[in-house]
Amino acid sequence: MKNLLGITLVFLAFWANAQQMEIQLDGVAMFDGNNFMVSDAGSDFSSNIECESSLLLSINSGDEWDERNNPNRKWKIEVRKEDMNWKDAVKLEIVRKGNGMWQNNKGNSGHIYNGTNYQAIDNTSSYFFGGKGLITDIPIQLRLSGFSIANGANDYETNVILTIYDD
Amino acid sequence: MSMNKGLKITLIIVIALWLAKPAFSQSDNANINVRFSVPEIAVVDIEPDYNNIEFSVNASASPGGEPVVENVSNESVWINYSSAIRLTGNKRMINVQISDNDVPPGISFYIEASAASGLGSANQGISTGKVRVTHEPRPIITGIGSCYTGDGVNMGHELHYFLEISDFTKIESAANQVFTVMYTITDN
């Protein structure tokens, strides 16, 4: 009987651990069309063009029990892109611009780390940043780099995919 | 003995669950759609901004000799351009023509663009050589792809101007004659 109880407790612990962390994104990526104009003949676009809109990322729990009993669960976020229409010469980069708000708000911002330097987004998934607990409104920013008028007139489209994993 | 057996079973289950932990691990995605367009661009400019090319036509120092034509402007003149075309689009060219007033009778006016300076990007245009300039647009630079030359003097193509006496019998004495040259970047 004791053994059965033990097994049940262990299973519950793992089951709790297996509850899904959720990642939520607010905002859309918009680049100002004026960045793709040249004011003086002979000049090029600015080599780095930042997304003008703000993007806020939130880490939520998919389960109330987990949220209450596992508040410091560690996670990591990976990033990749899936191109619909893109040119290799154009690099898309991403950065974390802030720490967001810890949902168990105690003024502590030490629950999020890495991702504060621009990194290129490739078509294969790579580590972006990590943290623990539930955090809302983490500001992230996208940037185009190596952009040039020499790439020609074109329509560009890609999907940036952020994936959260248990760490 | 039964306690030991029960403990063993428990341990086996715990280890099995621990090993199975990765299978329990979950993930979730958020997507950002990134979409923008770079329009076709075609802009051309002459550097320095406000320049006049000045020639003087003077009588020969020796009796019976041809008049002497001299370019008295010392300033170097450059043409800059930026161009973005679609992958399937035609390359561009720069045409030159006289847009205002006329070249005096008996005189021909020519322009030659140098090769691109080497600054800026690849896919800059190619000079067509010395071109007689009239009211009809004529290409002086062709084969312009998606590129930029750099902005300012010593960037792009240097422009050389020539005034030549083509028919001495038509030359008339006149005060200063002013005419304007216009450059247009256009699809081939």
Side-chain angles (χ1 to χ4, degrees):
Chain A
M1 188 62 184
K2 280 183 183 174
N3 288 335
L4 188 62
L5 184 63
I7 291 165
T8 307
L9 286 173
V10 169
F11 179 78
L12 283 173
F14 277 102
W15 180 78
N17 194 41
Q19 293 310 296
Q20 185 163 316
M21 299 290 287
E22 289 180 353
I23 185 169
Q24 182 188 333
L25 186 86
D26 290 317
V28 292
M30 288 176 63
F31 290 93
D32 187 346
N34 288 329
N35 289 312
F36 309 117
M37 300 289 186
V38 289
S39 53
D40 294 309
S43 57
D44 194 10
F45 300 140
S46 171
S47 58
N48 292 323
I49 300 172
E50 284 201 331
C51 177
E52 63 171 359
S53 52
S54 58
L55 295 161
L56 297 172
L57 204 62
S58 294
I59 312 301
N60 299 313
S61 172
D63 181 82
E64 195 176 322
W65 190 94
D66 186 48
E67 188 176 336
R68 196 168 52 247
N69 296 291
N70 201 6
N72 289 316
R73 190 164 160 188
K74 288 180 75 180
W75 45 262
K76 65 176 180 179
I77 290 174
E78 293 191 358
V79 63
R80 66 187 163 92
K81 67 181 172 71
E82 286 180 357
D83 299 336
M84 268 72 86
N85 192 15
W86 204 261
K87 284 188 172 181
D88 289 343
V90 178
K91 289 197 180 345
L92 185 63
E93 298 179 318
I94 193 166
V95 71
R96 177 172 64 84
K97 290 277 207 176
N99 294 331
M101 290 183 292
W102 195 30
Q103 287 188 20
N104 298 340
N105 192 3
K106 293 174 182 172
N108 189 339
S109 60
H111 294 267
I112 191 166
Y113 39 84
N114 300 330
T116 52
N117 294 317
Y118 270 108
Q119 68 181 77
I121 304 172
D122 295 321
N123 295 90
T124 53
S125 189
S126 62
Y127 174 76
F128 181 21
F129 66 92
K132 63 181 181 179
L134 307 179
I135 303 176
T136 59
D137 297 338
I138 304 165
I140 60 169
Q141 179 86 47
L142 293 172
R143 178 174 85 172
L144 299 167
S145 78
F147 208 72
S148 172
I149 196 171
N151 294 324
N154 199 19
D155 300 319
Y156 292 84
E157 185 172 8
T158 190
N159 270 333
V160 175
I161 299 159
L162 297 153
T163 307
I164 187 166
Y165 296 100
D166 287 323
D167 191 17
Chain B
M1 184 68 180
S2 66
M3 278 294 282
N4 283 344
K5 190 178 177 185
L7 188 63
K8 277 182 186 170
I9 291 169
T10 305
L11 280 172
I12 287 167
I13 292 171
V14 167
I15 290 167
L17 284 170
W18 189 82
L19 289 172
K21 182 182 173 186
F24 282 98
S25 292
Q26 303 275 327
S27 64
D28 186 35
N29 291 329
N31 289 3
I32 311 167
N33 181 253
V34 179
R35 185 168 36 180
F36 58 92
S37 294
V38 178
E40 292 204 41
I41 293 168
V43 285
V44 64
D45 190 18
I46 302 294
E47 296 284 352
D49 275 343
Y50 302 104
N51 67 80
N52 293 306
I53 305 299
E54 191 175 341
F55 289 90
S56 67
V57 182
N58 300 313
S60 171
S62 55
E66 281 195 358
V68 177
V69 179
E70 186 184 6
N71 184 344
V72 296
S73 305
N74 292 321
E75 207 163 31
S76 161
V77 179
W78 295 75
I79 189 165
N80 303 160
Y81 50 87
S82 298
S83 166
I85 55 176
R86 292 202 167 263
L87 195 61
T88 54
N90 290 329
K91 291 203 168 186
R92 295 197 167 108
M93 61 185 172
I94 293 175
N95 287 328
V96 62
Q97 68 188 107
I98 291 169
S99 62
D100 193 22
N101 294 333
D102 292 309
V103 179
I107 289 175
S108 297
F109 179 61
Y110 298 86
I111 296 178
E112 183 176 13
S114 70
S117 69
L119 300 172
S121 70
N123 295 322
Q124 293 181 39
I126 298 163
S127 170
T128 57
K130 192 173 174 182
V131 173
R132 185 177 177 196
V133 185
T134 66
H135 285 276
E136 294 298 317
R138 290 182 179 170
I140 56 163
I141 298 168
T142 59
I144 299 170
S146 291
C147 67
Y148 64 96
T149 59
D151 179 31
V153 294
N154 301 319
M155 294 180 180
H157 304 251
E158 188 174 11
L159 297 173
H160 302 282
Y161 295 84
F162 306 92
L163 202 64
E164 294 176 6
I165 295 171
S166 51
D167 188 347
F168 185 73
T169 62
K170 292 182 180 173
I171 288 183
E172 296 170 352
S173 176
N176 285 344
Q177 302 280 308
V178 177
F179 55 92
T180 304
V181 176
M182 182 171 70
Y183 298 88
T184 309
I185 186 166
T186 181
D187 288 347
N188 273 355

